[in-house]
Amino acid sequence: MASTFAQIFERRGGCFRREVCKGRLWLQLDSGRVFFSSNATSKPTSSIVLEGGSCSRGEERNSLVVEGRHGSTSTRIIFPTTAVLEGWETALTLHQSGVIRQINRAEDVWRIADKLGEGAFSSVYRATAQEGEKVVALKILPKRLLPSSSDRLRVFREIETLQFFGGDGVISFEGCAESNDSFFIASELCEGGTALDVAQASEREGPLPEQKISECIRSVLLCLQRVHLRGYIHRDIKAENIAFKVKGSLRDTRLLDLGLSLHTDIQAATLETVGTDGYAAPEVVAGKPYALNADVFSVGALTLLLCWCALRGCWDFPMY
């Protein structure tokens, strides 16, 4: 059900100003943002007046649909949020700068070997670069699994963020490309697998030692601290997104999958319900404003998962 203007803008954490003038709502359009004019006595420049208006979420996850009457005419306007506008600007920059190479197929750039893992939108393979012979982890994201613009913006956001961090607590970026069918993101290869692999191995190899869990969580928190100090929220901390550089060691950790990561300056998007069930903080699930501490809650959920495997020595955690 559509919410009133007042409700929707209040929920967006004060990112927009609101004024009501004689029962009418004044909207001003400025660089794709929507906000109420601070002038409640006269019609502001470049604005429209809608009466009986309502707001709802658009088909695209990050769009805002405004509907109402403009005089005797019913009006429907779709506004992208700040996060979407910045996302498309990022995509344009990545293509124009040549960061995203245009290729016909993955084999033009990499020799693909065995599959390392897969998720809802991608599969990851061990691959070797044709130039330089460097062994990497190659994430392949078929476009058919990314039907909406929001899904594809997540890919561009991940590429930009990987470049920005340059391996500082995050998986190192080794290049990317795009074909007619897929996106390709190459990153450093972590031979130790993920925290999910380690947890599942407890069923075969016995309970996880407490010391190992302590090493893992300490390393994860140090990586997360680096991300937070640079002003980013990861927003999808979970066992599948924690990788270990060396097989058998849980000390040298990398954070994976920054497609949902967000700079804290983009306040409007810190009301998005994102992340993974069981790991997402209560305020995220409830659609309330959240910040860096949402990631810390997710680390707590990861700790619970590993402790469960340590106590029971088997893989039957309710979260999965």
Side-chain angles (χ1 to χ4, degrees):
M1 181 179 295
S3 303
T4 66
F5 277 120
Q7 290 171 331
I8 195 81
F9 283 107
E10 284 177 345
R11 282 208 303 270
R12 298 190 77 81
C15 297
F16 304 99
R17 297 197 300 273
R18 176 168 60 89
E19 293 288 345
V20 179
C21 177
K22 297 180 181 178
R24 296 190 298 182
L25 299 166
W26 299 82
L27 288 176
Q28 184 171 331
L29 314 183
D30 179 19
S31 302
R33 293 188 180 187
V34 187
F35 59 92
F36 293 102
S37 170
S38 59
N39 185 346
T41 59
S42 62
K43 182 177 177 180
T45 306
S46 302
S47 69
I48 59 174
V49 179
L50 297 181
E51 298 182 72
S54 65
C55 283
S56 60
R57 191 180 296 277
E59 292 180 5
E60 295 292 348
R61 181 178 59 189
N62 290 324
S63 65
L64 187 67
V65 178
V66 178
E67 297 179 279
R69 295 190 307 278
H70 181 47
S72 59
T73 306
S74 295
T75 303
R76 185 173 189 267
I77 308 172
I78 300 178
F79 298 108
T81 64
T82 309
V84 168
L85 292 173
E86 294 191 4
W88 283 119
E89 184 178 356
T90 295
L92 183 62
T93 301
L94 290 171
H95 280 94
Q96 289 180 337
S97 64
V99 172
I100 301 179
R101 299 174 58 181
Q102 299 297 315
I103 61 175
N104 292 321
R105 56 189 189 128
E107 288 75 12
D108 294 341
V109 182
W110 300 278
R111 295 195 303 275
I112 299 175
D114 51 306
K115 180 185 284 190
L116 301 175
E118 61 182 340
F121 302 102
S122 64
S123 298
V124 181
Y125 295 84
R126 183 189 302 268
T128 304
Q130 300 282 14
E131 298 179 8
E133 296 295 315
K134 186 165 187 175
V135 180
V136 298
L138 182 65
K139 179 190 284 190
I140 301 178
L141 302 102
K143 291 181 178 178
R144 59 182 171 78
L145 300 180
L146 305 166
S148 73
S149 59
S150 294
D151 292 330
R152 298 191 182 190
L153 284 176
R154 177 176 173 176
V155 177
F156 300 133
R157 183 185 291 166
E158 179 171 9
I159 294 169
E160 181 192 40
T161 310
L162 285 173
Q163 278 193 303
F164 174 75
F165 280 101
D168 187 16
V170 170
I171 201 80
S172 294
F173 179 67
E174 298 292 345
C176 60
E178 179 183 1
S179 69
N180 289 334
D181 301 322
S182 302
F183 294 102
F184 308 93
I185 303 176
S187 59
E188 69 175 307
L189 180 64
C190 290
E191 299 283 3
T194 67
L196 181 61
D197 297 328
V198 171
Q200 290 176 330
S202 65
E203 195 157 28
R204 303 187 306 272
E205 302 171 5
L208 282 172
E210 183 179 332
Q211 181 63 29
K212 288 277 189 181
I213 296 174
S214 177
E215 290 175 0
C216 173
I217 298 303
R218 174 180 169 79
S219 183
V220 170
L221 287 172
L222 288 173
C223 290
L224 193 58
Q225 182 184 45
R226 297 188 192 110
V227 171
H228 287 177
L229 285 174
R230 300 184 77 169
Y232 275 79
I233 314 174
H234 187 285
R235 304 206 300 174
D236 199 19
I237 295 291
K238 58 182 177 180
E240 297 93 317
N241 287 340
I242 306 299
F244 306 108
K245 181 64 177 174
V246 181
K247 190 172 183 178
S249 172
L250 305 187
R251 292 183 178 180
D252 196 359
T253 305
R254 301 287 190 276
L255 301 183
L256 307 179
D257 196 354
L258 279 82
L260 290 177
S261 65
L262 190 75
H263 198 279
T264 52
D265 284 347
I266 308 178
Q267 296 178 2
T270 55
L271 288 168
E272 291 180 302
T273 302
V274 297
T276 302
D277 289 345
Y279 289 97
E283 59 269 30
V284 176
V285 175
K288 296 180 179 179
Y290 56 88
L292 302 175
N293 54 357
D295 281 345
V296 179
F297 179 94
S298 300
V299 176
L302 172 66
T303 306
L304 179 61
L305 164 65
L306 296 179
C307 288
W308 177 280
C309 295
L311 290 171
R312 296 176 62 86
C314 63
W315 174 248
D316 60 350
F317 193 58
M319 190 184 299
Y320 289 86

